[in-house]
Every structure is written in C-alpha cells, then in structure tokens.
Amino acid sequence: MKVAIVTGGSRGIGRQVVRWLATEGFAVVVNYAANQDDADLAVKEVVEAGRRAIAVRADVADEVAVAALFDRAEQAYGGVDVVVHAAGRTVLAPIADLDLADLDDLLRVNVRGTFVVNQQAARRVRAGGAIINFSASAVALAAEGHGAYAASKGAVEAITLILARELRGRDVTVNTVAPGPTATDGMMDDRDDVAIAQLATQPPLQRLGTPEDIAEVVAFLAGPASRWVNGQVVRANGGIV
C-alpha cells in the first residue's frame, strides 16, 4: 500500500490532490492547520469511495507537530511514500507598504514550513517515493505587489533543487509545482468579477486553471511515469510564462 501525506489537504488544490491520490490507490493523511470540519469532510469523501484516509492537525512550521504528523502516518499505514506540501499563505502588497509582521508570518509558513516538512520527508520517505512542493508562477511573472510572496516561493524552488541533490542514491524524487491563477474558493472570494475575468485572459488557453488541472500534475509527479523528473519546477499555468 502506498501512503501519501498532503499538507493543506482540507481545501482548494490540496483537497483535489487528496481526491486524486486516493483514486490512484494511496492511503492519504490529510493535514490541516485549523479547520477540522473541512478536513473531516475530505476524509469522509475518500472513505465513502472505498479508500483510506485520516485527518491530522499540524502547524507546518512547527517541527514537533510535523514530526508527530509523520509519526501518525507511519503508525496508521506503516510508512510514507509521497509527501505533497500544498500548505501555504498568500500576502500581496507593494514592498514599500507591506507590514513586516505579515512578512514574518508569510515567511514562517511558506519558507520555514517548507523546510520543516521537507526535513521530515527527507528522513522518512521510502525508496521509490516522491516529495512535491508548491511554488507559484508569480516567481517568474514578478508582478507588482507580489514581492514578498514571490520571494517566499523562490525559496521553495531553491529548497526543492538542493534537496533533490542531497537525496542522491535514495531513489526519491523532489519536484515543485508552480500553478498560475487557479479557480479555488479562496481566489474567487478575494476578487471581483472584473479581476477574475482579467486573470482568465492571461494564459493563451484563455481560462483560469482548476484544482483538477493542478492535481493531475501532482498525481503524475507522484506516480511511476515521472521517475526521471527530478529537481524541477513544473509551471502549470496554461502558458503564461
């Protein structure tokens, strides 16, 4: 039995990743930070489909909590084969105006959180497994207002490549998925119709991405067809960059 941990698995892209990995036969550990109801619903959906899943709360930037998350996965299912680190935070503001308290929180979740989760994954993922982080196409787009967010995701990309090299000989791949504008509930709720329409015109494919689009890329990177893809950033954005 293959086992996957999905951080941020209770909502948005993470929730769709949970669905896809469960469909691919993984037992899934759904990590969440605060919203237990959403996590329980994600688990219920998987279990009702005849698959295995549990929900485990953990702050991804807390090394003790993350170690306990991995312990729980090993206790429940015997090991860990895939780690999808989808948890993250978005803060958008011009560099001159950004509240430094917001910067500290952003870096704690996106940079320290990625480092802590990847540290445990590097120690525990079994041979033949995969570690999949989440960046954002904002790193390459370098749009105004995205300075702090893009910087945090640039750090994720650096961690990914270096960890891929450090796991030499382990038969564990490490890659990053960098979505473009994606129609998650959070994104749709934070923008008006005009802003959403403008975002949808950016890709040559002339639409927003969907959580399903991104989850399919993750499922590929988690599966056997991608074993020669390692240390890469897959920009799943419809051709924006």
Side-chain angles (χ1 to χ4, degrees):
M1 176 176 59
K2 296 290 187 180
V3 181
I5 294 174
V6 181
T7 70
S10 64
R11 299 185 63 201
I13 292 171
R15 175 76 168 270
Q16 189 62 38
V17 168
V18 168
R19 293 187 183 107
W20 269 98
L21 292 180
T23 300
E24 294 293 318
F26 284 84
V28 185
V29 178
V30 180
N31 161 253
Y32 67 100
N35 196 324
Q36 184 173 348
D37 289 342
D38 283 348
D40 288 343
L41 285 173
V43 169
K44 181 181 179 182
E45 182 179 13
V46 170
V47 171
E48 287 181 346
R51 306 293 185 177
R52 293 185 174 188
I54 58 173
V56 180
R57 183 174 184 171
D59 172 358
V60 295
D62 181 336
E63 65 271 28
V64 174
V66 171
L69 167 66
F70 278 76
D71 288 343
R72 183 74 179 93
E74 291 172 346
Q75 291 160 4
Y77 299 125
V80 179
D81 300 286
V82 169
V83 174
V84 180
H85 180 47
R89 183 162 184 235
T90 303
V91 175
L92 304 180
I95 291 170
D97 300 332
L98 182 67
D99 188 316
L100 293 182
D102 288 337
L103 175 66
D104 290 343
D105 187 49
L106 179 76
L107 296 178
R108 181 181 184 276
V109 175
N110 291 2
V111 181
R112 180 183 170 87
T114 298
F115 199 97
V116 169
V117 171
N118 278 234
Q119 186 175 67
Q120 287 296 322
R123 295 169 179 173
R124 308 217 204 184
V125 169
R126 296 184 286 206
I131 301 167
I132 302 161
N133 293 315
F134 267 75
S135 178
S137 289
V139 175
L141 287 168
E144 296 174 3
H146 288 69
Y149 179 64
S152 74
K153 291 302 187 177
V156 172
E157 295 183 11
I159 290 168
T160 295
L161 176 56
I162 291 168
L163 184 57
R165 292 174 173 174
E166 291 178 348
L167 294 183
R168 182 181 302 273
R170 285 274 303 279
D171 190 24
V172 173
T173 62
V174 190
N175 292 289
T176 289
V177 178
T182 304
T184 61
D185 290 341
M187 194 203 84
M188 303 298 277
D189 291 344
D190 289 343
R191 292 168 173 82
D192 60 29
D193 290 344
V194 173
I196 291 169
Q198 289 175 339
L199 287 172
T201 64
Q202 290 181 4
L205 296 178
Q206 292 285 279
R207 66 172 177 85
L208 294 173
T210 67
E212 291 84 353
D213 290 326
I214 310 305
E216 288 181 3
V217 176
V218 173
F220 166 70
L221 293 172
S226 66
R227 297 310 300 169
W228 200 233
V229 181
N230 192 26
Q232 302 303 308
V233 178
V234 180
R235 302 202 183 281
N237 58 34
I240 296 176
V241 290

